[in-house]
Amino acid sequence: AVHAQRAAEGQRALGVHGGDGSVNAAATVATRHGLPLAVLPGGTRNHFAYDLGIESADHTARAVTSGEAVAVDLGRFAPVGPDGGPGEGPSGYFVNTFSLGSYPELVRLRERWAPLMGSRAAGVLAAWHVLRTSRPVEAGVAGRQRPLWLMFVGNCTYRGVGLAPVRRHDLADGLLDVRTVRGGRFARTRLLSAAVAGALGRRSRRSSAKLRSLLVTGLPEGTHLAYDGEVAEAPGQLLLDKEREALVVYRPMPG
């Protein structure tokens, strides 16, 4: 972030080469300075770059020289104090996803094992491992305190019905894609069965919603959050919302 800040000073555009964590840092700086962002994919997954239609440095070059500059949404999280005003704790943007609970570990294991056995089998095994060894996180969602195994919040609507979708059609739809798996009596047994059957995310107390904002309360001390691959300790309560069309990015012309 420090390097991006220095690079942005006095410039007309900002470029970033790296994965989604690096893109997140550069996007924050570009937004602060009102600069368009050129993304060169250089990480393991490069979800944001791929959703822009950029899969190589050549694609980036074409996007800058003969493509188009478009405004996209940024997801945002911020701590909320007991009185409903600003609270203490980390805050920031996410270009891809925000998560609580076991989701970060599930994705980490899936990506580690996927080259050995394929994405689907790795996802099932990762879900089985996480659900066998982890505990739900207590959180207040929509005014109701409940145990959650997983909470995934996407910046804009993701394709697919599972808990680990990877692609988006529209990066400026104004929505948060919220997907959760709740805890409860016998929830672990049902979820383990679903994971072994390859059906995690389509059954067993899963819920999903498309929202413009979400207040999460009652998080116990020591709970961690993850955003675009970065991890931080979560505040007791936080607000998730959108900053509509806050970031201008280059992308190749469609077609």
Side-chain angles (χ1 to χ4, degrees), residues 132-157:
R132 183 174 59 87
T133 59
S134 301
R135 296 172 60 92
V137 171
E138 291 289 332
V141 180
R144 180 179 176 186
Q145 193 77 10
R146 64 184 68 185
L148 296 177
W149 281 108
L150 308 167
M151 173 182 279
F152 164 100
V153 182
N155 174 34
C156 301
T157 303

Side-chain angles (χ1 to χ4, degrees), residues 179-195:
R179 309 183 186 205
T180 61
V181 173
R182 300 188 301 277
R185 190 180 183 188
F186 306 127
R188 188 195 299 264
T189 301
R190 287 195 298 268
L191 285 167
L192 285 172
S193 298

Side-chain angles (χ1 to χ4, degrees), residues 23 66 76 182 199:
V23 172
S66 60
R76 181 170 55 185
R182 300 188 301 277

Side-chain angles (χ1 to χ4, degrees), residues 15 24 52 62 75 81 99 102 119 125 127 145 168 194 207 215 233 254:
N24 179 296
L52 291 173
R62 289 201 297 271
S99 58
S102 301
S119 235
L125 184 59
Q145 193 77 10
R168 291 160 288 183
S207 64
L215 179 65
E233 187 165 344

Side-chain angles (χ1 to χ4, degrees), residues 48-90:
F48 186 70
Y50 291 169
D51 286 339
L52 291 173
I54 295 173
E55 299 188 14
S56 68
D58 287 342
H59 289 163
T60 305
R62 289 201 297 271
V64 172
T65 58
S66 60
E68 58 182 351
V70 297
V72 300
D73 293 350
L74 288 176
R76 181 170 55 185
F77 64 95
V80 177
D83 60 353
E88 295 183 1

